[in-house]
Each structure stands twice: as structure tokens, then as C-alpha cells.
Amino acid sequence: MARVLVIGGGIGGTATALALHKAGFETVVHEAHPDSAEDIGAFLTLASNGMRALAQLDASAAVTAIGFPLTSLRVLDDTGTEQAHAPMGEVSDPLLRYRCLRRGDLSTALQAEARRRGVPVRHGARLASVEDGPDGVTAHFTDGTTATGDLLIGADGLNSAVRRSVSPGTQPCYAGQYVFYGYTRTASPPGTDACITMVRGSGAAFGYAVSPDGEAYWFARVTGDPLPAEELAQGTATGRRDLLLPLLRKDATPAADLVAATGDELLVTNATEIPTGTPWRSGRTLLIGDAAHAASPATGQGASMALEDAVVLAKALRDAPDTDNALALYETLRRPRVEHNITVSGNISRGSHTPSATARPCDEDLARLLEWDTDLWAARHPV
């Protein structure tokens, strides 16, 4: 295998291109959006496992240059009383600390790093269809152009166009909550440096963190029927505040003041997930990241899982004797972990305490699995 097509230039797709490049494969990223900032609004946290994956891609510096670290977690009840405050993640290693940052900034930073290493990122390339042939796989784009490679990676997110060719019957499902995101510089919530505060409110689950320059990043998860498509696409910040504030004003916490102080940077989305057990691959095409295993945001692991995907996939292709074995190895290693996350995160969003049907993978093996010099094939097939 010589040439890999990556469809999707977001976090998972660009990280996969970086990993494949490091493993020695020729890789081109095709991104539908006309520029790098395809999602400038919502923010995310990269957990220590995601930061560990970035370190294996030699991309830590590109990411620690943006956003800010989080080293502790504080929990408040609906009266504003602190219930817990503890270290979070691998605090002792600066490269592995949790990091809070805007999704668009992360995508832009990773794309800049890809270009710096000579990995092409082609913008405005919207996928129309995938054609799998005996000698390669061809991506057909809506502008009439095509690209052919030995393998096509679908990293094009929740509403993946690649997934239509791999598993046309698979559709994202509502996970039981809708989620608001916002920012404000005009409210000063109580807290400590490098801390994320989670509020167990009576009407919504709320969280916030304050950047070193005083900007508060916040989110709220609300259980209920999904918001209609027109609200998601055309709703205003004022309407969204009016929808959320009555739920928060029931409680004596900083949440309502933060939302009330937020201007136009206020987003809302329905939490969705991909059902477990759905196909990830067909012929020379493989789905990764949210295209394969999107989870509700309750565990905050979506981006970190995509970064893990990137490292494990590149290593599997590097170490296995052929592509078929590499893709089978990748799926064997990744499916238990990501589907456990889908189940746990979905249970949180739906308020269910049903145990996960998938056994939780052992985290003790994760560092060795991600370690770049570990031979994945040899580890699974000892002589």
C-alpha cells in the first residue's frame, strides 16, 4: 500500500494524516469546507489519553500553543456547595494535562502542522461517492474531480458521506439531551486556576472553565426531546438564552449568571450517537472517529478517541503484513474501547444507570498501545 486518501480535515482526519505520514505512507487530506475553520464555535476538552496520542504524533507543541490546561475537577450541587475537588488526568506531565480549546482552533492547528510536514490538505473537496475497484479506491467529488488511492479513510464526522458507501443503513440517533455552548468575558464565576467546574443542577448539567485571560467557557446539557432542525439552524442567541435560563435560575449556582452574560457566541446542538455494532469498513474503505463511533458529549471523549484512532490505525498499517490484516487488527483493538464510551456516555445523557453491555477495556494497556515504537502485530501475534 502506497497512497491513502483521507476524507475529512477535522481533528480525526488531520491527525490520521499526520500519523500515516509518520509511518511512511503517502497521504492526502480532502476537506469539504473551503477553509480550515469549519467549526469555529464549540469548544472541547482533550483528555490525557488524547494528549498522549498527540505526543506520539510529535504534535504536542502545535496544540499546547492554543487553549489552556485543566488540572483539577470541582463538583458543585444545585445549591452551589462544593461536593468534590480533585486532580484530573496526568497532572505531573505538562504534555498530558487536559486541555480546553475551541474545536476550530484545534483543526486549524493540526492542518497547519500537516502542511508544515508536507502533507497536502485540499479544501473545497466535497465527497459525492466512493468507487471501490480491484486496483484501488476512487473518491468522486462534487466539483467533478476524482482521487484514487490504495485505501480511503472516512474521517468526515457524524454526518459522514463516506459512511453511505460502507453502511448506508447507519444513521446517527438522538442521545436524549441537547447541549448549549457559550463564552463570556463579562462574568467572573468563582473557581480556581486550571480548574473545570461541573454543576449538578436541578434542570441541567452545567460545566465551565475560565481561561488565563478571563474568558469563561461553559456548556449545559438538558434532557428532553430533541430541538427541531429550524432551531438548530436558524435560532438566535437571545432565543437560546431564553430557553436555557429558566432551567438554571432554579439553582443557587454561577450557571445562570454566566449564560445571561453571554452574547452572540451561544450555540446549541442535539446530542447524537452512532449505534454500537455498526460496520466500519468495506473493501478498501474504513471509517474512523465520529464517522464510525460518535458518542454523546457527556464523557467528553470524542476528540480524544479520534486521536487514539489515528495512532492505532497508522501503527496497524505499518506493522501488519497486509492491509486486510491491518484493518482487522485496528478494529479488534479499537471497537471495545470506543463502543464502551458510546454506551457509558449515552447512559449519562439519558439518565440511565444501566450497566454497559461492553466490558470496559483495560486502561493500563493504553500507553503501550499508543507508544509509537510498540509493534502492534507482534504484540498480538507473538512468535
Side-chain angles (χ1 to χ4, degrees):
M1 188 181 69
R3 183 176 176 85
V4 183
L5 310 179
V6 176
I7 307 300
I11 297 163
T14 310
T16 297
L18 290 171
L20 291 168
H21 178 76
K22 182 174 180 178
F25 298 102
E26 180 186 354
T27 308
V28 180
V29 178
H30 300 269
E31 164 58 40
H33 200 270
D35 57 49
S36 61
E38 75 283 353
D39 181 1
I40 61 173
F43 69 92
L44 56 83
T45 56
L46 285 179
S48 292
N49 53 306
M51 296 302 294
R52 183 181 293 280
L54 281 171
Q56 298 307 310
L57 301 181
D58 308 313
S60 298
V63 175
T64 55
I66 55 178
F68 54 96
L70 297 171
T71 58
S72 68
L73 169 67
R74 190 170 66 123
V75 179
L76 308 181
D77 65 15
D78 58 0
T79 70
T81 302
E82 184 173 288
Q83 301 293 302
H85 193 171
M88 181 174 66
E90 300 186 48
V91 176
S92 61
D93 187 337
L95 293 184
L96 301 183
R97 290 173 184 164
Y98 274 62
R99 200 154 195 92
C100 184
L101 65 175
R102 299 195 185 207
R103 181 179 295 275
D105 290 346
L106 178 55
S107 293
T108 299
L110 291 175
Q111 288 180 17
E113 182 64 15
R115 288 195 180 93
R116 189 184 71 80
R117 299 185 192 186
V119 177
V121 180
R122 179 188 170 215
H123 286 280
R126 185 171 297 279
L127 187 73
S129 62
V130 176
E131 181 185 1
D132 203 342
D135 300 318
V137 57
T138 299
H140 295 265
F141 300 100
T142 57
D143 62 2
T145 60
T146 63
T148 299
D150 300 293
L151 179 66
L152 186 146
I153 306 299
D156 50 344
L158 182 69
N159 298 308
S160 170
V162 178
R163 193 169 60 235
R164 290 197 299 265
S165 68
V166 173
S167 181
T170 299
Q171 295 293 330
C173 302
Y174 182 57
Q177 290 183 320
Y178 47 95
V179 187
F180 297 84
Y181 300 90
Y183 309 87
T184 179
R185 292 182 180 275
T186 59
S188 300
T192 57
D193 291 341
C195 173
I196 185 166
T197 298
M198 307 297 288
V199 181
R200 293 172 175 166
S202 60
F206 193 88
Y208 68 86
V210 182
S211 72
D213 65 355
E215 184 174 30
Y217 292 45
W218 63 262
F219 72 86
R221 302 197 322 269
V222 179
T223 300
D225 293 334
L227 295 178
E230 54 269 25
E231 167 60 32
L232 300 179
Q234 302 171 15
T236 65
T238 298
R240 291 164 184 169
R241 278 194 300 273
D242 290 345
L243 182 63
L244 180 58
L245 279 172
L247 302 175
L248 304 178
R249 284 182 169 143
K250 301 174 183 178
D251 303 331
T253 76
D257 288 343
L258 281 167
V259 174
T262 298
D264 290 339
E265 286 192 293
L266 200 164
L267 311 173
V268 68
T269 185
N270 288 327
T272 50
E273 62 190 7
I274 297 292
T276 59
T278 59
W280 288 2
R281 58 191 175 111
S282 175
R284 297 172 183 265
T285 301
L286 173 75
L287 300 172
I288 67 164
D290 280 355
H293 52 74
S296 88
T299 57
Q301 276 286 333
S304 294
M305 290 292 175
L307 292 171
E308 288 183 19
D309 284 354
V311 176
V312 175
L313 176 59
K315 291 177 60 182
L317 290 167
R318 178 196 67 186
D319 299 340
D322 54 57
T323 302
D324 285 343
N325 276 300
L327 299 185
L329 174 62
Y330 168 81
E331 187 164 353
T332 296
L333 293 172
R334 294 303 294 155
R335 191 176 282 273
R337 180 168 173 81
V338 299
E339 292 199 339
H340 181 269
N341 181 60
I342 292 172
T343 304
V344 170
S345 200
N347 285 347
I348 294 171
S349 290
R350 284 181 284 270
S352 168
H353 299 289
T354 304
S356 169
T358 307
R360 188 175 191 276
C362 179
D363 285 338
E364 295 176 2
D365 295 333
L366 180 63
R368 187 173 61 86
L369 183 68
L370 295 177
E371 176 63 42
W372 190 257
D373 292 335
T374 301
D375 186 316
L376 295 183
W377 185 257
R380 299 285 295 189
H381 302 84
V383 177

